[in-house]
Amino acid sequence: MASASDSARRLRILVYANVERDEAGGAQAVVRSLCDHLCARGHRVSLGWNSATGTGKRDTGEWVQHFPVRAGQKRWLHLPTALRLLARLLRERPEVVNIHFASAAARYFQLFAPWLRFRTVLTCHGSDVLRPLRQDEPHLPAILAGADVVTAVSQDIAARIGAVRRGVSVAVIANGIDTDFWHPAMQTRPAKGSVTGRIVAVGRLERVKGFDLLIDALARLRTEGIEARLTLIGEGAERAALEQQVRAAQVADRVEFAGRLPREAVRARLQCADLFVLSSRSEGTPLALLEAMATGTACIATSVGGVPASAGTAVRLVAPENPAALSAAIAELLADRQARHAVANAARQRALAFDVGATHRAYEAIMLGLPAMQGTGSSAHV
């Protein structure tokens, strides 16, 4: 932990997230929020992203660099890529590099760490260790062993890290949310009958999010004569397939593909919803679920990854890959307004424990607690 004297230190920190910069994902929100906090605390922060399509800087000073690693290829080092990274590291001279996601890109940073005398903090988000990409999986043991500190967003991810590489110490830092922004509606919602059930789901339209299972559940509800309408907020590669599924299941009149929305619009949709449903096949600490809980919306979620630890008893949990269980839970809560109200209140109280301030302080304490490499100076400027 950082000492009292550490709290006055100002670090040069480079943050790299192995996700596409311009996608509206939970990881992107986590990383940007952390960088904003570190900057506000007086640290000098550089933020980089992976991108297979874009290069260069944005007006914000963010930068992108892609680290190509082919599946099945033993030789991972790509010299031109390494030289581009080296040039950036020499310009910025970071004291700490925080790498988000245990991908093969981390090996490039770890290669230069002893030479340029910086410490590395590796943050594992979930899929990177639970369902790693083929090109990344062979590198996982070396990546985990090569970090000065490894963090995970949930306990189950930490356990998986221990199974992949024994002896690695892992600090669990759950993702946090702005509980002031994500709040219940100011006015009490009007009474609603079960036939007007409004369901909201938020996330990337990718298979891992299980929206196909939710659409299947909605079709089951229709055959049982239960009125429910679903709004899917987000974009992704699976949109066309999901739209086809909706037409085939004859529920096109009950499903809205809202696309990406500003977070104010997402909050408004949640505040007006009867239910939020997370149907994922895999999760770390799901921000979309925590945000829905914070708005005082009754939530149903699949019991995967870090969901049970995040939800506690405040969310109705169902087995993954089970549309029948999902539709049964939805039907039960839509039919019982009192039970739905109780679940919503419990969700809001539970979400308050995940305020983002605690998350930010935990990361900063780890960075400040790292011993400086000999030959560096925390007050130096380049």
Side-chain angles (χ1 to χ4, degrees):
M1 295 295 291
S3 67
S5 61
D6 284 333
S7 63
R9 291 174 60 205
R10 297 297 178 259
L11 298 171
R12 299 187 302 276
I13 303 169
L14 187 149
V15 179
Y16 179 79
N18 192 49
V19 288
E20 286 283 344
R21 178 188 62 190
D22 297 323
E23 289 183 357
Q28 286 86 343
V30 167
V31 171
R32 285 201 170 99
S33 178
L34 174 61
C35 289
D36 288 344
H37 167 81
L38 294 172
C39 286
R41 291 280 293 162
H43 304 289
R44 199 184 78 182
V45 181
S46 170
L47 173 56
W49 306 91
N50 183 12
S51 178
T53 57
T55 58
K57 292 187 175 183
R58 307 180 73 185
D59 292 339
T60 59
E62 297 174 6
W63 50 277
V64 297
Q65 181 164 346
H66 181 55
F67 293 86
V69 179
R70 296 178 182 176
Q73 189 178 51
K74 293 183 179 180
R75 181 180 175 273
W76 59 270
L77 183 64
H78 181 249
L79 188 57
T81 298
L83 292 175
R84 283 195 296 272
L85 177 61
L86 177 60
R88 178 167 296 281
L89 293 170
L90 287 171
R91 286 197 303 271
E92 301 191 14
R93 291 288 182 176
E95 296 163 272
V96 177
V97 173
N98 181 202
I99 308 157
H100 288 260
F101 292 91
S103 71
R107 300 204 69 177
Y108 286 85
F109 291 96
Q110 292 170 350
L111 172 68
F112 293 119
W115 297 357
L116 300 183
R117 301 183 181 281
F118 59 79
R119 300 290 185 178
T120 58
V121 178
L122 175 67
T123 299
C124 301
H125 285 259
S127 58
D128 47 345
V129 292
L130 299 175
R131 297 186 177 193
L133 298 175
R134 286 179 56 232
Q135 64 265 31
D136 292 334
E137 189 169 11
H139 301 279
L140 275 181
I143 292 167
L144 295 169
D148 290 293
V149 176
V150 178
T151 72
V153 301
S154 66
Q155 190 60 54
D156 71 302
I157 296 171
R160 176 57 183 162
I161 290 170
V164 172
R165 182 74 185 201
R166 292 183 181 179
V168 173
S169 178
V170 183
V172 177
I173 305 176
N175 289 335
I177 58 168
D178 183 347
T179 55
D180 291 330
F181 177 86
W182 299 101
H183 60 77
M186 294 296 101
Q187 297 180 347
T188 304
R189 297 171 185 170
K192 300 184 287 292
S194 61
V195 295
T196 59
R198 291 173 287 187
I199 303 168
V200 171
V202 182
R204 292 175 291 110
L205 303 187
E206 306 290 347
R207 187 177 184 279
V208 69
K209 296 301 182 180
F211 291 126
D212 57 314
L213 306 173
L214 181 52
I215 292 169
D216 191 342
L218 189 72
R220 291 169 183 265
L221 291 173
R222 181 163 200 165
T223 62
E224 295 168 7
I226 298 172
E227 290 287 337
R229 298 185 181 277
L230 170 64
T231 298
L232 289 178
I233 301 175
E235 285 291 353
E238 291 292 308
R239 175 160 181 163
L242 293 172
E243 288 175 334
Q244 174 59 33
Q245 181 187 359
V246 162
R247 291 190 293 269
Q250 299 183 341
V251 291
D253 60 327
R254 299 192 178 192
V255 179
E256 175 194 5
F257 288 87
R260 294 177 184 168
L261 297 177
R263 67 176 193 153
E264 291 81 4
V266 175
R267 181 181 62 188
R269 296 291 186 105
L270 290 170
Q271 290 171 338
C272 294
D274 295 289
L275 294 174
F276 171 86
V277 178
L278 182 135
S279 50
S280 296
R281 294 179 164 93
S282 178
E283 285 287 353
T285 302
L287 288 186
L289 175 61
L290 294 176
E291 291 164 355
M293 292 166 62
T295 62
T297 303
C299 298
I300 297 170
T302 47
S303 183
V304 296
V307 170
S310 303
T313 59
V315 172
R316 289 291 177 90
L317 299 179
V318 301
E321 300 281 0
N322 193 332
L326 204 57
S327 65
I330 293 171
E332 179 184 349
L333 284 182
L334 287 182
D336 190 338
R337 185 171 181 269
Q338 186 174 356
R340 196 166 66 244
H341 185 69
V343 171
N345 285 341
R348 170 62 184 176
Q349 293 305 309
R350 176 72 177 176
L352 293 176
F354 291 87
D355 185 79
V356 73
T359 301
H360 292 160
R361 289 190 293 272
Y363 277 111
E364 186 181 18
I366 284 176
M367 294 178 187
L368 287 170
L370 287 168
M373 287 276 200
Q374 185 178 1
T376 63
S378 61
S379 62
H381 292 277
V382 292

